[in-house]
């Protein structure tokens, strides 16, 4: 019997070791892909935006797992909540910023108002927001999605460390339940599985291109249908997953969005909740002009101009407005900013945030 237990323990130990090594390999592979496709991103290859991964995590789907551990170590942070149209990370080598602040992302791909609520609850529940930290809440077209389940909730289920609960008797209010500490090794183990799944999805997408020829050929032509001249030199390359996207059809994107009254109320409620106890700056994120010209785009503009901005002014909440700062051909894939525009966006927002930080500390 002892031999059986020993054999089972050995098999389990080897399985755990294999998963950990595979997770480390995932980090290496995604770092390598970021490096390879960053060159193409800089050269305006059609539909390519990079980097998309950080420590093996998808930069806007599950990066917040690593960000929470980083925030714990930060002396002062600017914490971005939302779903930015720019995927250029805030690094000192590409953007001038105040070194006294670390820039952190609590974001979600295809994010929405509900994801924003969850991400803020994670921060506040873990007491990660200090007296000198700044919360930047991104309000964009993406805020107004209403999926049956958010990507944030899906990732939390995979991680297992937290569970999202809806508060009884409160419309669209959420709470976060933390799992028992005794299961900490399991939560850590699950993070390796999340990284491995990211690489698996990239591999399956690449194989689909190999088998079906569904890579970038024709992407430049589709972009041209919407008046965007893009670099088609790399259309024949097989580029997996997020590194090459196609959001050029504004009508298709608008179909996933809704400017419903309950979304407006919840968004404004979240702004008030954050502003009660935090230094808050609201970002009105860049709006792709083609999307802005759809029925949704017009409704969104009307809401921001005639309700949201007056609401912010009335409550004395600081905001920055970047909605109309970029032409359509400055977007890499229809909704994510291209490299050059992304760098300008990064520098601009850091200047504005540093000015806001100066007012908080009294140095301005």
């Amino acid at each position: 019997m002892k031999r059986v237990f020993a054999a089972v323990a050995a098999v389990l130990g080897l399985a755990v070791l294999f998963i950990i090594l595979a997770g480390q390999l995932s980090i290496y592979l995604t770092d390598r892909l970021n490096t390879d496709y960053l060159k193409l991103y800089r050269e305006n290859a059609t539909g390519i935006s990079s980097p998309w991964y950080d420590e093996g995590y998808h930069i806007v789907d599950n990066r917040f797992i690593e960000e929470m551990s980083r925030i714990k170590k930060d002396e002062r942070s600017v914490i971005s909540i939302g779903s930015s149209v720019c995927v250029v990370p805030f690094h000192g080598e590409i953007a001038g910023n105040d070194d006294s602040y670390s820039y952190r992302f609590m974001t979600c791909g295809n994010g929405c108002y509900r994801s924003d609520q969850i991400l803020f609850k994670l921060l506040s529940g873990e007491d990660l927001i200090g007296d000198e930290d700044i919360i930047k809440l991104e309000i964009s077209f993406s805020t107004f999605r209403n999926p049956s389940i958010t990507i944030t909730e899906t990732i939390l289920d995979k991680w297992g460390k937290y569970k999202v609960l809806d508060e009884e008797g409160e419309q669209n209010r959420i709470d976060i339940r933390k799992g028992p500490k005794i299961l900490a090794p399991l939560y850590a183990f699950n993070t390796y599985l999340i990284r491995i799944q990211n690489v698996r999805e990239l591999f399956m997408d690449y194989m689909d291109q190999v088998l079906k020829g569904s890579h970038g050929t024709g992407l430049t032509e589709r972009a041209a249908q919407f008046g965007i001249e893009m670099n088609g030199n790399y259309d024949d390359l097989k580029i997996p997953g997020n590194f090459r996207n196609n959001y050029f059809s504004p009508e298709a994107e608008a179909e996933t969005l809704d400017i419903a009254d309950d979304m407006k109320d919840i968004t404004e409620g979240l702004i008030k909740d954050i502003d009660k106890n935090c230094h808050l700056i609201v970002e009105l994120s860049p709006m792709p002009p083609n999307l802005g010209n759809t029925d949704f785009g017009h409704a969104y503009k009307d809401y921001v101009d005639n309700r949201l901005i007056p609401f912010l002014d009335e409550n004395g909440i600081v905001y920055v407005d970047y909605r109309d700062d970029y032409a359509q051909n400055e977007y890499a894939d229809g909704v994510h900013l291209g490299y050059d525009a992304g760098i300008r966006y990064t520098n601009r927002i850091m200047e504005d945030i540093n000015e806001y930080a100066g007012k908080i500390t009294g140095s301005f």
Side-chain angles (χ1 to χ4, degrees), residues 183-203:
L183 296 180
L186 177 61
Y187 308 145
F189 181 78
N190 287 343
T191 62
Y192 287 103
L193 294 175
I194 290 171
R195 291 176 169 110
I196 294 167
Q197 184 178 24
N198 287 336
V199 173
R200 177 185 178 276
E201 290 173 353
L202 287 172
F203 175 75

Side-chain angles (χ1 to χ4, degrees), residues 27-72:
I27 295 173
Y28 169 79
L29 290 174
T30 50
D31 283 351
R32 178 62 185 268
L33 291 172
N34 279 341
T35 300
D36 289 347
Y37 296 126
L38 180 59
K39 177 179 181 294
L40 276 61
Y41 181 33
R42 286 172 170 161
E43 295 174 357
N44 299 314
T46 306
I48 294 178
S49 49
S50 175
W52 275 107
Y53 295 88
D54 173 44
E55 292 293 323
Y57 295 116
H58 189 285
I59 200 168
V60 289
D61 283 353
N62 36 63
R63 178 184 184 173
F64 69 85
I65 296 173
E66 182 69 18
E67 291 290 73
M68 290 178 70
S69 64
R70 291 168 176 164
I71 292 169
K72 288 180 181 179

Side-chain angles (χ1 to χ4, degrees), residues 110 112 122 189 273:
N110 286 340
C112 64
L122 286 173
F189 181 78
D273 286 346

